Amino acid sequence: FGSSHGSSLKAPERSPQTERPSPPRRPHVAMGACAGSAMPTEPAAERIAEQTAAPPQGASAGTLLASSPAKSADASARTPATASEAFAEHMQAVFAKDMDKVLKGFAENARFRVYWGNTGEFNEYLGHAGIREWYENEFYGKLGDMSDLKAPIRGREENMCFFAWEAPQRGFTRCFDTVVFEDTAEGWKIKYQNVTGSRDSTVGGVARSCPPTTASEAFEEHMQAVF
């Protein structure tokens, strides 16, 4: 309709539309940062390394104090760094009957006090000479081969260590020592040691001793009593 005969209807041509350019994208800004500035972030590896950093050498959980400033690096390498280490070395030297190492663990002006409760006897030994006298005459001299010497209880509180010991076949029962250490330029040394307990002059005649600490010890004592 509305067209001349023999002619076809053509749709009017539309003018091409120009595409609008997309608006420029804004740079991504982290939340909480000022507009136009990027928020700096730490690399994850650095954060983890900081959280799990190891303590400085020489420091560990349960140790007493840092090494004395007067110590040199060489001296600290040769001497105990804590009272716990000094105590362990002292006990090893005592049981090994190594008199030189025993004395090395004491300060030059150390005091060694002994009180036997069953007799009321009290003696004090001063310095290395006095301590050597006690070990050689009163301790090693009376313990023989030390075959029945044992120390079932050991512990530490700050710079004081303690242990219970006995050698019942040699007359020593229910003995208890407290050992006070001090940090010196030559490492941790024993400043005071106090000994108390019972000492019977009759070897082999002791009836009371420290209670058994294990079922095996209790069973052994039971069988000895039976027979």
Side-chain angles (χ1 to χ4, degrees):
F1 296 96
S3 61
S4 59
H5 180 72
S7 64
S8 59
L9 184 64
K10 294 182 179 180
E13 293 183 359
R14 300 174 65 182
S15 60
Q17 295 181 356
T18 58
E19 295 183 357
R20 293 182 179 179
S22 301
R25 294 182 179 180
R26 291 183 177 181
H28 176 71
V29 178
M31 293 184 66
C34 298
S37 63
M39 176 179 287
T41 57
E42 289 183 335
E46 291 184 8
R47 289 198 300 269
I48 294 173
E50 184 178 356
Q51 293 171 359
T52 60
Q57 290 186 354
S60 59
T63 55
L64 299 180
L65 297 173
S67 299
S68 172
K71 295 178 187 175
S72 63
D74 293 339
S76 61
R78 295 192 305 268
T79 58
T82 65
S84 295
E85 291 182 13
F87 180 55
E89 291 185 7
H90 171 70
M91 296 299 289
Q92 291 173 358
V94 169
F95 277 84
K97 302 178 72 171
D98 190 332
M99 198 65 239
D100 289 338
K101 285 188 176 181
V102 169
L103 293 178
K104 184 180 178 181
F106 284 89
E108 291 287 344
N109 60 345
R111 292 177 176 270
F112 194 103
R113 305 178 181 97
V114 183
Y115 174 71
W116 302 118
N118 63 320
T119 63
E121 180 184 357
F122 173 80
N123 289 291
E124 184 174 33
Y125 303 86
L126 306 179
H128 284 190
I131 294 170
R132 176 184 289 275
E133 176 188 350
W134 186 83
Y135 272 101
E136 291 183 348
N137 299 334
E138 301 298 324
F139 191 70
Y140 293 135
K142 291 182 170 60
L143 288 179
D145 60 1
M146 298 173 58
S147 58
D148 68 330
L149 175 63
K150 57 183 179 180
I153 301 173
R154 302 183 191 185
R156 178 182 66 84
E157 292 179 353
E158 297 183 354
N159 65 330
M160 182 198 74
C161 298
F162 59 87
F163 61 98
W165 61 277
E166 66 171 0
Q169 299 305 316
R170 296 289 176 173
F172 295 90
T173 58
R174 299 184 181 272
C175 301
F176 193 83
D177 288 26
T178 56
V179 187
V180 179
F181 289 84
E182 66 174 345
D183 193 9
T184 72
E186 298 178 351
W188 286 84
K189 301 281 188 180
I190 299 173
K191 186 176 183 179
Y192 305 114
Q193 182 164 349
N194 302 312
V195 183
T196 187
S198 295
R199 184 180 67 174
D200 195 328
S201 58
T202 305
V203 176
V206 179
R208 300 183 63 189
S209 63
C210 292
T213 57
T214 65
S216 297
E217 290 183 5
F219 179 66
E220 182 179 355
E221 291 186 6
H222 169 72
M223 295 304 293
Q224 291 176 352
V226 169
F227 288 96

